Amino acid sequence: MNNEVRPDPARSNTGRLGRAQVGITVLCALVVLIDGFDTQAIALVAPDIAAEWQVPTATFGVVFGVGLLGGAIGAIIFGWAGDRFGRKPTVLFAVALLGVASSLTPLAGSVGELTFLRLVTGFGLGGALPGVIAITSEYTPQRLRTAVVSMMYCGFPLGAVLGGLITVRMVPALGWQSVFVLGGAAPLLLLPILAIWLPESARFLAVKGSTARLNKVLRRTGLDAPPEAEDTGSTEHSSVVRLFTDGRATGTLLIWTALFLSLLMSYLLINWLPLLARQAGLSSTTATFGVVLLNLGSIIGTIVIGRLTIRSRPAVVVGTAFALGAVAITGIAFSQQSGTWMLVAALFAGGLSIGAQISSLGICVNLYDTSVRATGVGWAVGIGRVGGIVGPVVGGLLIGVGISTPNLFLVTALASLLAAAAILGIARRRATTTDHPAAQPTKATER
């Protein structure tokens, strides 16, 4: 008897998410939530650490930057490893690494030690992303992929909101160390759950010809076949060079451009909005609430954008959101001393521009077939995080040369507009090219 499980093409665009697929998406979202929690928490506890160690607050610019640098390197390396050794083992290793590094952070006694631990933590955080993004996408029917990957990644802004709320309460009562104890315990507690319940990508196993493991995973998840008929015959190891072959080069460069600019924009907003709001004469409460609304807006925006991508061409929807987000950011630039107007503009900027930035990951996974997907996502996430490093630095340099507050936000709006152009370039390319089969839109996806 032939026990090989063959993909059913009819499932590609007509399938719905089953209970197992929803569970997989939730597990991946929990990993991303930890990333958001960690990113927000370190920013909020930095003043307390600086006061205790009696070092200038400005010193922590390196601490913030090295965490993002570690994330960029981790995403690239673990993305390559995910295509070669599997998505699940790389996710488990990355989660374990960030859990251990965060748990050791309370023992740091100097900026140098803290910087090293933030580098390792960032390496683990960034390293987990290609795997969870690939697993989520590869258990999702293609017509829903952009929406589901985007909603899964809502865990990041949700984690940032929780990080802010928890940190504000924990630090006064238990000290800044308690935040990292919690930040380390969460991934270590999640690790055995992931080991038991997170399956390896069925499509990855199909590509690698692991029939016995594939059958076992399909029985566990209740699926009859891998969620999408795709490239299941390639056994070639993934390489960054393959991101520029078989017609992938243009899409790769455009998604890198979009993610670089959108992360630059996001971190400019998140890092400089509170300070510039204070300089405009607004209260500290209003300034902090502006960042909260950015994150909440991004959650709402991602859900709305995701729903729209099911009914229309995903790249067109996401590109349009970036362009409209540029208008909202311009609204922040001209809010001047009106706290209400600034908060409203921040909510829309988060919903449109940052929501589009999160949704861009759904565009990214559709550019690559299974055999190279984790590498493609890893490099895209890594390039994006470089933009996240550059954003705050650019903001500081512009402020240093005397740029006005409105003009700084106009620069931020320009970044969103250019990201829109890159994503719309992907939409135009898909409409006109006879590209690699994995990059071709299906009728249900690109109507």
Side-chain angles (χ1 to χ4, degrees):
M1 179 181 295
N2 185 0
N3 293 323
E4 181 180 1
V5 178
R6 297 184 182 277
D8 177 6
R11 297 176 60 86
S12 177
N13 297 303
T14 60
R16 294 179 178 273
L17 291 180
R19 182 180 301 176
Q21 291 160 296
V22 172
I24 292 166
T25 302
V26 170
L27 285 176
C28 293
L30 289 175
V31 176
V32 177
L33 184 145
I34 291 171
D35 189 1
F37 174 90
D38 181 90
T39 300
Q40 189 65 70
I42 183 62
L44 293 175
V45 301
D48 297 278
I49 300 175
E52 181 176 316
W53 291 353
Q54 297 183 344
V55 297
T57 305
T59 305
F60 283 81
V62 176
V63 176
F64 300 152
V66 80
L68 291 171
L69 177 62
I73 298 172
I76 291 170
I77 292 176
F78 279 79
W80 167 82
D83 280 332
R84 182 158 188 173
F85 304 111
R87 284 67 161 120
K88 182 175 179 176
T90 57
V91 170
L92 295 179
F93 185 82
V95 171
L97 184 64
L98 72 91
V100 171
S102 185
S103 297
L104 293 174
T105 300
L107 303 178
S110 67
V111 173
E113 292 175 359
L114 180 62
T115 300
F116 172 75
L117 289 169
R118 292 305 302 168
L119 177 66
V120 178
T121 302
F123 188 75
L125 288 168
L129 295 182
V132 297
I133 293 170
I135 288 174
T136 300
S137 71
E138 290 168 1
Y139 275 102
T140 303
Q142 184 167 332
R143 73 182 185 90
L144 303 175
R145 184 179 290 169
T146 300
V148 173
V149 170
S150 300
M151 286 188 279
M152 181 277 292
Y153 209 81
C154 278
F156 186 92
L158 178 59
V161 171
L162 292 176
L165 296 175
I166 291 173
T167 300
V168 167
R169 293 184 177 274
M170 288 187 69
V171 172
L174 302 173
W176 64 266
Q177 294 88 346
S178 61
V179 175
F180 294 103
V181 171
L182 176 61
L188 293 178
L189 291 173
L190 181 61
L191 191 61
I193 298 174
L194 294 173
I196 295 170
W197 295 108
L198 185 69
E200 180 57 270
S201 163
R203 202 172 308 126
F204 171 82
L205 295 175
V207 168
K208 295 300 181 183
S210 302
T211 304
R213 291 179 62 196
L214 174 60
N215 286 334
K216 183 178 179 180
V217 166
L218 294 179
R219 284 194 298 269
R220 279 188 55 200
T221 57
L223 299 176
D224 297 325
E228 178 188 338
E230 205 178 66
D231 175 13
T232 57
S234 173
T235 57
E236 180 183 358
H237 288 323
S238 174
S239 166
V240 66
V241 175
R242 293 186 61 209
L243 303 182
F244 296 91
T245 60
D246 297 324
R248 301 185 184 98
T250 301
T252 294
L253 292 174
L254 287 172
I255 197 66
W256 284 10
T257 300
L259 286 173
F260 177 88
L261 290 169
S262 62
L263 266 294
L264 182 150
M265 168 209 67
S266 297
Y267 280 89
L268 261 174
L269 285 173
I270 291 170
N271 283 273
W272 293 108
L273 180 61
L275 176 62
L276 296 177
R278 292 296 301 278
Q279 289 180 350
L282 302 178
S283 68
S284 59
T285 301
T286 301
T288 302
F289 197 47
V291 176
V292 172
L293 285 178
L294 274 174
N295 285 305
L296 289 176
S298 68
I299 295 173
I300 298 169
T302 302
I303 293 172
V304 173
I305 292 169
R307 296 287 296 179
L308 291 174
T309 61
I310 299 174
R311 296 173 172 83
S312 185
R313 298 174 64 190
V316 172
V317 173
V318 174
T320 302
F322 269 127
L324 294 175
V327 177
I329 296 171
T330 302
I332 297 177
F334 293 103
S335 61
Q336 298 298 326
Q337 297 184 0
S338 172
T340 301
W341 178 244
M342 189 271 284
L343 293 176
V344 171
L347 178 66
F348 278 93
L352 291 165
S353 286
I354 301 182
Q357 176 250 306
I358 294 172
S359 300
S360 296
L361 293 170
I363 303 295
C364 179
V365 297
N366 280 326
L367 292 176
Y368 306 108
D369 59 72
T370 299
S371 64
V372 76
R373 180 166 290 131
T375 297
V377 171
W379 272 89
V381 170
I383 295 295
R385 296 224 164 185
V386 172
I389 298 170
V390 171
V393 174
V394 168
L397 291 174
L398 291 176
I399 291 172
V401 298
I403 190 172
S404 66
T405 298
N407 285 337
L408 179 61
F409 282 106
L410 290 178
V411 171
T412 309
L414 178 61
S416 185
L417 195 60
L418 292 174
I423 294 295
L424 292 174
I426 292 175
R428 182 176 182 275
R429 163 183 169 272
R430 286 187 157 197
T432 59
T433 188
T434 55
D435 204 352
H436 189 278
Q440 290 301 304
T442 64
K443 292 181 179 179
T445 304
E446 297 281 338
R447 290 182 291 180

